[in-house]
Amino acid sequence: MSGGTMPDPFGGHREGALESPRPIVPTPATMAGELRGRRVLVGLPGHGWRGDLRADEKVIQGSRTYVPVMPEAEWYRAEAEQTEVFAALVPVERVWVEELGFAGTSIPGAKVNQLVSLDEPPRRPPVAAVDADSLTGRRVTQVLESGDERRDLRAVTETHVSDDGTVAVRVAQELDWYRWGWSGKIPRTLEVPAHLVWVE
């Protein structure tokens, strides 16, 4: 482009606040309903937390209640291939379920206070893809033009300029993303305008 300036690929999407998807709000498993297939965090207040896990229904052994928990990749593989996988039994009081909070607005570029309490897992406000440090492999939500949300997606690229000049991100269904790891089968992907993609 000679003699002119490069057009701003984010033009039209930086004005005002963008409607963001619902944030992740950890809730004690003791207060949650059915757990099968739900995303969970395990840990101990004051110590730390581990995520990317899925749960099965609570089990009672003696006087204690436990939650069978497995790595998310194993859960997807078990569901896809109808196989049994090992699940650790975690005391129910050490399990938190990832619930969805209320949608709000998020100002692009705004920094969120990073200090948290160690009494519970941190809440995770969504971050616009154009403001995220990195995307590849991260859980993302696509906000549709209707305002509905598509979840259980993974970003397979960083932001880039597509053939039509749109700043975009390629995403894959999470099952296909995990299958890529255990089978080597490259997932089908969808190129989504970056202003509609949020990191969970």
Side-chain angles (χ1 to χ4, degrees):
M1 223 187 240
S2 57
T5 59
M6 186 76 155
D8 178 7
F10 299 106
H13 304 301
R14 284 283 188 184
E15 300 167 5
L18 295 175
E19 186 70 20
S20 65
R22 293 168 291 170
I24 303 296
V25 179
T27 304
T30 54
M31 298 170 56
E34 293 184 7
L35 295 181
R36 177 166 166 67
R38 303 282 300 277
R39 292 183 194 274
V40 295
L41 300 152
V42 300
L44 195 60
H47 186 73
W49 309 100
R50 176 162 183 209
D52 287 330
L53 303 168
R54 295 275 182 155
D56 207 337
E57 289 304 334
K58 300 170 192 165
V59 297
I60 298 174
Q61 292 187 353
S63 60
R64 302 284 313 269
T65 301
Y66 297 90
V67 178
V69 173
M70 67 203 76
E72 193 167 59
E74 290 296 299
W75 182 80
Y76 272 112
R77 188 170 190 172
E79 292 293 304
E81 299 185 351
Q82 295 297 299
T83 59
E84 294 288 328
V85 297
F86 173 78
L89 293 180
V90 181
V92 68
E93 63 272 12
R94 295 187 180 182
V95 179
W96 296 67
V97 180
E98 292 191 8
E99 302 274 10
L100 295 175
F102 295 102
T105 56
S106 179
I107 299 171
K111 277 289 185 189
V112 177
N113 184 348
Q114 298 298 313
L115 296 177
V116 298
S117 166
L118 294 182
D119 293 336
E120 62 184 19
R123 293 178 178 224
R124 290 206 316 270
V127 176
V130 295
D131 296 316
D133 293 334
S134 66
L135 291 174
T136 306
R138 308 268 305 269
R139 285 168 43 182
V140 295
T141 299
Q142 177 188 359
V143 177
L144 304 177
E145 298 289 353
S146 64
D148 292 335
E149 301 169 2
R150 280 186 69 219
R151 291 189 180 259
D152 295 332
L153 301 172
R154 294 276 178 159
V156 296
T157 68
E158 300 298 314
T159 52
H160 59 275
V161 178
S162 66
D163 292 341
D164 66 2
T166 304
V167 175
V169 179
R170 281 205 166 272
V171 300
Q173 292 283 341
E174 200 166 53
L175 169 60
D176 293 338
W177 186 80
Y178 278 116
R179 183 182 282 123
W180 191 10
W182 81 68
S183 74
K185 181 180 178 183
I186 295 175
R188 288 182 305 159
T189 63
L190 177 66
E191 197 165 56
V192 180
H195 72 280
L196 300 177
V197 177
W198 298 74
V199 177
E200 292 185 10

